[in-house]
Amino acid sequence: MLTYSFENIGPEPLYLHLYKCIKNDILDGVLPSGTKLPSKRSFAKNLGISNITVENAYAQLQAEGFIYSIPKKGFYVTELPENMPLTSDGHITSEAGRIAAGSIMEEEAQCKIDLVSNMTPPANFPFSIWAKLMREIISEKSGELMKKSPWGGIMELRSAISLHLKQFRNMDVAPEQIITGAGTEYLYTLIIQLLGYNKVYAVENPGYKKVAQIYKSNNVTCEYIPVGSSGIVIEELEKRNADVAHISPSHHYPTGIITPVSRRYEILAWASRKKGRYIIEDDYDSEFRLEGKPVPTLQGIDIMESVIYINTFTKSLAPTIRISYMVLPWKLLKIFYNKLSFYSCTVSNFEQYTLARFINNGYFEKHINRMRNYYRNVRDRLMDEIKKSRLSDICEISEEGSGLHFLLKIHTEIPDSEYVEICRQNNINVSCLSQYYMEDNVNYKVYGEAKGKGSIQQKQAEDIKECNNRQHIIIMNYSGIRMEDVKETVSLLCKSSGLAG
Amino acid sequence: MLTYSFENIGPEPLYLHLYKCIKNDILDGVLPSGTKLPSKRSFAKNLGISNITVENAYAQLQAEGFIYSIPKKGFYVTELPENMPLTSDGHITSEAGRIAAGSIMEEEAQCKIDLVSNMTPPANFPFSIWAKLMREIISEKSGELMKKSPWGGIMELRSAISLHLKQFRNMDVAPEQIITGAGTEYLYTLIIQLLGYNKVYAVENPGYKKVAQIYKSNNVTCEYIPVGSSGIVIEELEKRNADVAHISPSHHYPTGIITPVSRRYEILAWASRKKGRYIIEDDYDSEFRLEGKPVPTLQGIDIMESVIYINTFTKSLAPTIRISYMVLPWKLLKIFYNKLSFYSCTVSNFEQYTLARFINNGYFEKHINRMRNYYRNVRDRLMDEIKKSRLSDICEISEEGSGLHFLLKIHTEIPDSEYVEICRQNNINVSCLSQYYMEDNVNYKVYGEAKGKGSIQQKQAEDIKECNNRQHIIIMNYSGIRMEDVKETVSLLCKSSGLAG
């Protein structure tokens, strides 16, 4: 049986001394987890102390979680977290916690040039206007600012968005159909709750890995559907029993593909063939189409109430202002109201009112136009510099017409992962098309076997060949590049490609 | 076979005319869903037009979702949404949509006096300071404002919160352990993703129905655990196989119960008995304890890394600023980092920086102290008015010491639901304790049968008796009541209780 000395313990109460002795033995591993402690009575007798002293010590140990009791059996040592360094009062120290938790705090070191992150260069954000509007709102709307926002967001903002959608996308949407939220990621999780956990959600492959991550993290089935040269492959949607297709037909990331109207109608037809099928249309950077006519949205040509349209101000205004929105068909809106309107709106009233005024006073349109010019200039300058550089001998540019990135195919033997790393060492952060492919596209390749010229199969096989060809292609996401950094961007790419620049 | 006339159709293309004829028949129900359309060739022959004309008409109909094709079989009429009124271009009209969706737009009419909603009276929010800090932040931090926030929030805010927790709650928490989010509701959904979908989540009964709604909406098992006079009943947690207990030990809503220290240790002991058990400690209005010593948090006495602490600025600052936070134990923080740090922070940088400065410059502490005084005065005034009124003959006040509500038991025969309705008609919005009980507390009652005096069973039976006694109890949530409305509040309550006032 355990034995502890009670000599020379000074004025410390007996029970506290006993408590400390046992606690130390537990922390030192002398008493490993699961060890049964002696019964109170026999332990007291053995140590020559009173029952109540042992009882008090055990109570303290139990209270702090070092031991637990099983009724009618006794007390046992708890399993402690591994390698748990404690402060004097039994807590894990911050330092030890940090070490145990790993290098959580190490945010990725930033490269000087960043072609991956979506950042708005500070010079491009209309700070003074935003500050002015915020000030106006605070002084004029104190009452409204303290009043709970309706679940879909304040009506001023939703009306403003509705007008914006009419002007920019020719969409007829009532303000009530618009639901705002703190980022598209949050809206996706609402959509899952709206449409159901038993549905199969299909995402684009290649595509944003985050979208798939969100579906998986929310415990729903997620299928990767190949994207061919005309957008998502419908036959694969059927084959994988998809119920919900999450797509970006107006500007696919990262391939830059714009789904032609014929394929759009095929997608709508797919949705209409079976009850409960839905399309999530992610129209994330449609404001920045730099050339050609705007492509109509799926939402605009859908009359079956099967399209949920999503867009965000994080791309068009600033990624650090978390305001996104979705447009629900009336039928789904009613379900949303019944099932999910208990959720509070996640966007602060202050920013909702400020953004509403920013749109209503015409600042947003001006901002978009200014940014479109700016981006066009950056893109042109960037392509220009590339053409003037030695990079031009070994590269091709494509998909430069829409949105805020283009593709740069480099003729090189360096594998993509290695190339990205070389770039990183040269202080430039890039990503390659191949990094956006999800793992399990085996089916996809098998599926692509041709079955005769001119057939659907052959057309799709061509799609696939084109996809598989996409190696050594850098995604030139230039939205965060300042004009003055363009030259260095190209020079660093030259350097990373083994060219003198 | 279908026959349409092509006479007198003017300059309209043949295919368009045919398309319109068929579409009208579909909308009018002449061609019900599932009807097989004639084959292109035979239809063309029958109508005396070319194959290509029929083909074009069918293509248009298919594109718009009115018909669908089954390969090698033909074209069929789609099932249209019921009662779908359309605009001239085939869209559901806003008006019709609104009608079909029901009275979604009708936000609940607001009563003059509101004892239910959590509103900050505008006069109590420090608008001028907030505006000043926002202006400072915008002029000083343009670079930081455009830089993506780390997944847990910007470090300035997390450090400020860490200090605040030390000062107000004596909690030792590293800034890295703090994760900010746009409201506690959002944080709950992150916790589900963190702890898992296969766990049983236990909520308090009575309690906030919204918490249970969120768990259910996120497709996890949710059990209602009775709250006795000392807080949640541990034995019920065991019995229902709960893995995660979502509780508010410092101030239970709506009973106002403060879980005593002994029960707190029992809850921690419950968590330590089995791997994978966690406690979500919702400390939502701890800043506003109006009397007595502050109660230590579970987080502060937990050394097993089993407590997730949650708090929010929506109660302490304004419900329309959506900033909440949770404190994760290091072990869970590491898992969060690996599994969920791909999510962007949902709070805007502008408000994160402003709030950080608000706390760091001492404004938050001042605000809390000012509000605590204010609330104490409102509460005292309210209790005073009640005592002076005829209500005092038929009521008792309890649980007035902590947080922003107290209980008012009224001796009346009017059922709670009816009483609430009478109040509403009198322009005062109230809720009753009984409304916070979840439906299925049958087990709870059976379980509560006494089994001998002094036994745990008997103690719990007493708990339950007390709970069942809680009828005709109004929750006096006075956080949104202005001082000048106190008199009217009491007078309206008198009126609703059938008293002259």
Side-chain angles (χ1 to χ4, degrees), chain A residues 63-64 66 90-92 98 105 145 176 185 193 210 217 265 300 303 305 320 340 342 344 348-349 351, chain B residues 63-64 66 90-92 98 105 145 176 185 193 210 217 265 300 303 305 320 340 342 344 348-349 351:
Chain A
E64 294 183 359
F66 287 101
H91 283 79
I92 301 173
R98 276 188 201 107
M105 278 313 301
L145 285 172
E176 297 93 319
E185 299 168 13
Q193 293 173 60
K210 206 186 248 195
S217 183
Y265 281 129
I303 57 158
E305 302 207 78
T320 57
L340 297 170
F342 67 85
S344 301
S348 134
N349 273 14
E351 298 202 333
Chain B
E64 294 181 2
F66 287 101
H91 283 78
I92 301 174
R98 275 188 201 107
M105 277 315 298
L145 285 172
E176 297 92 319
E185 298 168 12
Q193 294 174 57
K210 205 186 249 193
S217 184
Y265 280 129
I303 57 160
E305 303 205 76
T320 57
L340 298 170
F342 67 85
S344 301
S348 132
N349 274 13
E351 298 202 333

Side-chain angles (χ1 to χ4, degrees), chain B residues 425-448:
Chain B
Q425 283 166 14
N426 286 326
N427 218 0
I428 178 167
N429 191 14
V430 303
S431 65
C432 290
L433 182 57
S434 56
Q435 294 174 297
Y436 289 84
Y437 280 88
M438 319 290 175
E439 293 143 21
D440 76 338
N441 53 0
V442 184
N443 281 338
Y444 172 37
K445 281 171 190 161
V446 173
Y447 154 79

Side-chain angles (χ1 to χ4, degrees), chain A residues 267-304:
Chain A
I267 296 167
L268 287 171
W270 165 82
S272 71
R273 273 200 291 279
K274 208 168 154 186
K275 224 174 176 158
R277 280 184 179 171
Y278 291 98
I279 297 159
I280 300 170
E281 178 179 27
D282 208 333
D283 203 33
Y284 68 99
D285 70 354
S286 56
E287 281 91 354
F288 296 113
R289 190 170 166 75
L290 302 183
E291 274 157 28
K293 276 202 301 183
V295 188
T297 60
L298 282 176
Q299 199 279 344
I301 54 176
D302 164 45
I303 57 158
M304 299 297 292

